[in-house]
């Protein structure tokens, strides 16, 4: 547990970056510091590993004041990832990852072996280990940054806008990878971002900071969306918060209706959209029987690719998206193996959403598997 | 051009060449070793920088001949002692390199510095293991300038009688004889070129990552060119 006890930071020029911040960051989960630019997120984060010293107050890790050990020793036990990865340009990827173990006395050969294993763990080909950072893409560099922070297996990981300099597709990949890693590792992660969507996706807890370093709300994402503490929080989480909150409601209660399917090569009949699957029952796409030339079999080229899928553990938000993104207006529900189980209609999704909003205004249930990939079809 | 004179004087010329080599190289090595901590201090403590850089600039404006003459009195050495030359040229090297080292350390990206700090490097180890290696290409460029500058400054020491290639200039001047002067100029040029080449090679060996970056970029653009052949240039935007 990381404890902020009335921590303030006033810079020499008089700027108050953090003002009397008191909060308890629980161990083994992800806490996201989120807020507008200049509200003191980076300052707060850097006071944990003493890259910045507070002007007043104390920070404790598991009850021990961070000033109790020399700063360099403290830092070697805390992983740190920054926006542009900050890799050492003169060291190979492998040696970058091996940095902290080598600093703490692990023989170089052993540190490199472990580094190679870590590369794989963060989704990189270990062959990249011989390259220099300049020979990697931005997303790859960021993965190396994460591997480097994890190398000494620190219990705490500090991440300062680690994914904000990469394009949206890569950002999503990196976020999913972090969720996967965290499900395995259970580190105490303190993650800084100014992107509320990223905060909701990654955080078990959100610490919403207002300009001037005031803690506006400290709560689970679902709670922040359902019951913002004040106007600042309500404004910050934005107009879509009702829709975003659907991410936290399990889609289990939505009626899955039988959906007839056909295969490639079958002749479509009737005047409605038909769902086409492969021989194993995996969805391939939709075909519009009304527009299909009569009597001819369905070919690959006739398929309108479907929208997103609703898998087990998917949220109401995923279900709604599945329904709205399907050309037939019927969202495809699949089982854990990706086989079609039926279809869902937007009206049914709305019914569930409405019921939840009425029944449990403050505390919508958080479905356990959905934490892993809240916004993606399983 | 009197080839017979060159032939007869060859052992002396060769000896003077050797003398010239160590008189110009040794001060660069000592000067570099001194400049690194001084430059690092100037880089780290902003208030130290203006006085140090000004002092370095002033040192460089002291005429070398004056320094050669004054140093024996200060150091208690004999006027002909080559130590005077080494000390004087070390001063000039430091004067050139302090600023280079401080500027070179400025080029280390802030990300890299912050990352090193956050990983738990202590200041000296960070300087040696991260900052200096990253700054090496810029420092190397300064060392090239200092070395070539030393090769020409050493020659002036002939006026106070320390033998090296510069002695050929005084000899040619006194005897109104062109050959030694030409030999001296060619010798200095060759020496400067060879030393410069050695430094360039050393920098390349010390900074393989610099070329790797370039190879990487070339590799990517080659891949893009291949892609362009397959799909046609319009599709290749990046
Ligand atoms: N070294 C410094 N000296 C003076 N003021 C500073 C210093 N570092 C930060 N500040 C100020 O402190 C406040 C908080 O800065 P901080 O970097 O913690 O914000 P942030 O929430 O991380 O912002 P961003 O989202 O833009 O990164 C800002 O007003 C900033 O200008
Ligand atoms: Mg910041």
């Amino acid at each position: 547990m990381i404890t902020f006890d009335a921590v303030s930071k006033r810079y020499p020029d008089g700027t108050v970056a953090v003002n009397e911040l008191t909060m308890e960051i629980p161990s083994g989960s992800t806490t996201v510091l989120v807020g507008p630019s200049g509200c003191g997120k980076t300052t707060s984060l850097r006071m944990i590993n003493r890259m910045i010293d507070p002007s007043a107050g104390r920070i404790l890790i598991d009850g021990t004041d961070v000033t109790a050990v020399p700063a360099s020793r403290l830092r070697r036990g805390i992983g740190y990832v920054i926006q542009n990865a900050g890799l050492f340009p003169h060291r190979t990827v492998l040696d970058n990852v091996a940095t902290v173990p080598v600093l703490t006395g692990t023989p170089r050969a052993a540190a490199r072996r472990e580094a190679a294993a870590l590369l794989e763990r963060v989704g990189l080909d270990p062959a990249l280990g011989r390259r220099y950072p300049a020979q990697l893409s931005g997303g790859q560099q960021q993965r190396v940054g994460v591997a480097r922070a994890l190398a000494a297996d620190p219990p705490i990981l500090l991440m300062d806008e680690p994914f904000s300099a990469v394009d949206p597709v890569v950002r999503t990949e990196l976020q999913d990878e972090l969720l996967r890693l965290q499900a395995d590792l259970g580190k105490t992660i303190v993650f800084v971002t100014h992107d509320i969507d990223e905060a909701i996706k990654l955080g078990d807890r959100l610490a919403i900071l207002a300009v001037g370093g005031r803690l506006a709300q400290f709560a689970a994402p679902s709670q922040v969306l359902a019951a913002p503490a004040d106007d600042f929080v309500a404004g910050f989480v934005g107009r879509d918060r009702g829709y975003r909150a659907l991410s936290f409601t399990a889609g289990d209660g939505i009626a899955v209706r039988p959906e007839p399917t056909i295969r490639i090569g079958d002749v479509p009949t009737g005047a409605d959209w038909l769902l086409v699957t492969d021989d194993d029952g995996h969805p391939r796409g939709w075909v519009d029987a009304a527009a299909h030339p009569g009597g001819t079999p369905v070919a690959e080229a006739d398929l309108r690719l479907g929208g997103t899928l609703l898998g087990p553990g998917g949220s109401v938000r995923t279900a709604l998206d599945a329904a709205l993104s399907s050309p037939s207006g019927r969202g495809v529900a699949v089982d854990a193996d990706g086989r079609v189980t039926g279809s869902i209609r937007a009206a049914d999704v709305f019914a569930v959403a409405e019921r939840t909003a009425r029944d449990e205004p403050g505390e919508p249930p958080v479905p356990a598997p959905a934490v892993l990939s809240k916004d993606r079809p399983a | 051009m009197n080839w017979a004179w060159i032939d007869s004087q060859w052992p002396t010329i060769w000896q003077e060449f050797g003398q010239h080599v160590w008189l110009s190289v040794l001060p660069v090595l000592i000067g570099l070793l001194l400049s690194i901590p001084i430059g690092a201090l100037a880089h780290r403590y902003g208030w130290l920088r203006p006085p140090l850089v000004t002092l370095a600039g002033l040192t460089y404006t002291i005429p070398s001949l004056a320094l050669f003459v004054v140093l024996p009195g200060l150091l208690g050495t004999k006027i002909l002692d080559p130590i005077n030359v080494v000390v004087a040229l070390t001063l000039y090297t430091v004067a050139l390199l302090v600023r280079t080292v401080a500027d070179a350390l400025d080029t280390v990206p802030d990300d890299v510095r912050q990352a090193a700090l956050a990983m738990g490097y202590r200041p000296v180890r960070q300087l040696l293991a991260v900052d200096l290696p990253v700054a090496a290409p810029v420092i190397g460029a300064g060392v090239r300038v200092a070395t070539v500058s030393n090769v020409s400054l050493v020659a002036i020491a002939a006026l106070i009688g320390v033998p090296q290639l510069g002695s050929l200039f005084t000899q040619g001047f006194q005897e109104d004889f062109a050959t030694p002067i030409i030999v001296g100029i060619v010798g200095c040029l060759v020496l400067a070129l060879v030393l410069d080449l050695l430094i360039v090679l050393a920098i390349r060996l010390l900074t393989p990552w610099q070329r790797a970056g370039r190879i990487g970029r070339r590799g990517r653009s080659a891949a893009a060119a291949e892609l362009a052949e397959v799909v046609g240039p319009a599709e290749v935007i990046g």
Side-chain angles (χ1 to χ4, degrees):
Chain A
M1 186 166 64
I2 305 172
T3 311
F4 280 71
D5 179 10
V7 174
S8 298
K9 175 65 190 182
R10 172 191 289 269
Y11 283 106
D13 67 355
T15 312
V16 177
V18 177
N19 193 14
E20 297 263 326
L21 178 60
T22 297
M23 63 177 174
E24 288 196 341
I25 296 174
S27 295
S29 61
T30 304
T31 300
V32 179
L33 305 185
V34 63
S37 184
C39 68
K41 304 181 292 292
T42 299
T43 305
S44 304
L45 195 72
R46 289 186 173 185
M47 287 191 288
I48 298 174
N49 70 354
R50 290 181 59 193
M51 290 170 77
I52 296 175
D53 289 319
S55 328
R58 295 185 312 157
I59 294 175
L60 314 168
I61 295 178
D62 296 330
T64 310
D65 198 308
V66 290
T67 56
V69 293
S72 54
R73 183 130 58 84
L74 174 79
R75 291 178 192 139
R76 288 171 197 178
I78 300 179
Y80 190 76
V81 186
I82 49 179
Q83 192 174 59
N84 294 308
L87 299 181
F88 301 136
H90 63 298
R91 290 197 188 144
T92 60
V93 165
L94 217 51
D95 285 335
N96 261 284
V97 176
T99 301
V100 180
V102 168
L103 264 181
T104 52
T106 308
R108 194 171 292 270
R112 283 189 177 146
R113 262 197 309 280
E114 282 166 34
L118 254 177
L119 286 181
E120 220 156 359
R121 185 123 207 211
V122 299
L124 286 174
D125 181 353
L128 294 180
R130 283 193 301 273
R131 295 206 190 165
Y132 288 98
Q135 297 168 301
L136 299 183
S137 72
Q140 289 170 329
Q141 290 187 20
Q142 212 55 52
R143 283 173 197 264
V144 177
V146 173
R148 183 174 65 172
L150 289 172
D153 199 20
I156 298 174
L157 203 55
L158 308 179
M159 309 182 84
D160 194 349
E161 305 205 26
F163 307 146
S164 52
V166 292
D167 69 68
V169 176
V170 176
R171 189 179 314 147
T172 306
E173 275 173 30
L174 290 170
Q175 289 166 345
D176 293 338
E177 189 79 44
L178 182 65
L179 285 168
R180 255 193 301 280
L181 269 173
Q182 171 65 352
D184 271 10
L185 300 174
K187 301 278 181 197
T188 305
I189 298 181
V190 188
F191 191 104
V192 164
T193 180
H194 53 241
D195 174 356
I196 186 71
D197 280 315
E198 184 169 65
I200 291 168
K201 178 170 181 183
L202 299 177
D204 298 311
R205 286 266 178 288
L206 305 188
I208 302 191
L209 294 173
V211 176
R214 177 180 69 88
L215 181 63
Q217 188 166 13
F218 188 82
S222 55
Q223 186 131 30
V224 171
L225 291 171
D230 58 21
D231 287 348
F232 167 76
V233 178
F236 187 72
V237 295
R239 264 179 223 159
D240 294 338
R241 70 186 168 92
Y243 173 62
R244 287 190 181 121
L246 296 179
S247 306
F248 299 99
T249 307
D252 305 347
I254 300 164
V256 176
R257 305 186 186 215
E259 178 69 41
T261 61
I262 60 169
R263 314 238 150 123
I264 302 264
D266 290 354
V267 177
T269 54
D272 194 7
W273 285 89
L274 289 168
L275 180 59
V276 182
T277 67
D278 65 12
D279 291 343
D280 294 325
H282 299 118
R284 296 301 311 276
W286 293 89
V287 63
D288 185 0
H292 194 77
T296 57
V298 176
E300 193 87 32
D302 300 327
L303 296 183
R304 277 279 299 281
L305 296 181
T308 52
L309 305 173
L310 174 67
S315 67
V316 172
R317 183 171 172 176
T318 313
L320 186 58
D321 192 66
L324 296 181
S325 63
S326 164
S328 66
R330 304 194 294 275
V332 178
V334 294
D335 63 14
D337 297 323
R339 283 190 260 268
V340 174
T341 55
S343 64
I344 47 175
R345 281 157 189 70
D348 294 337
V349 180
F350 283 129
V352 170
E354 211 176 306
R355 212 162 48 234
T356 326
R358 233 176 314 129
D359 292 353
E360 302 167 74
E363 196 70 54
V366 180
V371 172
L372 246 182
S373 51
K374 288 168 192 156
D375 289 312
R376 303 178 91 209
Chain B
M1 198 71 176
N2 187 335
W3 297 102
W5 181 87
I6 294 176
D7 225 26
S8 71
Q9 296 298 310
W10 191 245
T12 322
I13 296 173
W14 193 235
Q15 208 180 353
E16 287 168 343
F17 187 83
Q19 192 82 352
H20 206 111
V21 171
W22 80 262
L23 281 178
S24 34
V25 170
L26 191 60
V28 174
L29 297 178
I30 304 173
L32 179 60
L33 283 181
L34 291 174
S35 310
I36 285 172
I38 301 174
L41 286 176
H43 166 77
R44 193 179 171 91
Y45 302 103
W47 56 272
L48 262 177
R49 194 177 186 134
L52 279 175
V53 168
T54 310
L55 191 69
L58 286 177
T59 308
Y60 204 73
T61 60
I62 303 173
S64 50
L65 193 54
L67 210 50
F68 292 146
V69 174
V70 169
L71 273 178
L74 293 175
L75 300 173
T77 44
K78 293 204 202 66
I79 183 96
L80 281 183
D81 200 328
I83 298 238
N84 302 323
V85 180
V86 172
V87 171
L89 294 189
T90 300
L91 277 177
Y92 288 130
T93 306
V94 171
L96 276 177
L97 288 186
V98 161
R99 189 179 179 160
T100 307
V101 170
D103 289 350
L105 290 173
D106 290 345
T107 67
V108 177
D110 197 48
D111 284 345
V112 171
R113 214 189 298 282
Q114 297 292 344
L117 184 66
M119 312 259 109
Y121 274 100
R122 291 199 205 94
V124 173
R125 185 152 178 190
Q126 180 180 337
L127 178 70
L128 296 177
V130 179
D131 297 350
L132 283 176
V134 175
V138 182
I139 297 176
V143 170
R144 290 175 65 183
V145 173
T147 305
V148 173
S149 149
N150 273 5
V151 168
S152 75
L153 284 173
V154 168
I156 296 170
L159 293 176
I160 54 160
V162 178
Q164 25 67 29
L165 290 176
S167 315
L168 295 167
F169 301 147
T170 41
Q171 184 186 0
F173 184 69
Q174 279 155 10
E175 297 172 11
D176 197 13
F177 177 31
T179 303
I181 296 179
I182 295 168
V183 172
I185 291 174
V186 171
C188 284
L189 270 177
V190 168
L191 180 56
L193 280 174
V194 169
L195 289 179
D196 197 49
L197 196 70
L198 287 176
I199 297 168
V200 170
L201 279 176
I203 297 171
R204 277 176 79 105
L205 283 177
L206 284 172
T207 59
W209 50 281
Q210 282 247 310
R211 271 173 305 140
R214 253 175 273 135
I215 289 165
R217 276 195 285 282
R218 209 180 298 139
R220 273 201 284 282
S221 54
E226 270 174 45
L227 194 64
E229 274 179 39
V230 179
V231 297
E235 274 87 8
V236 185
I237 301 158

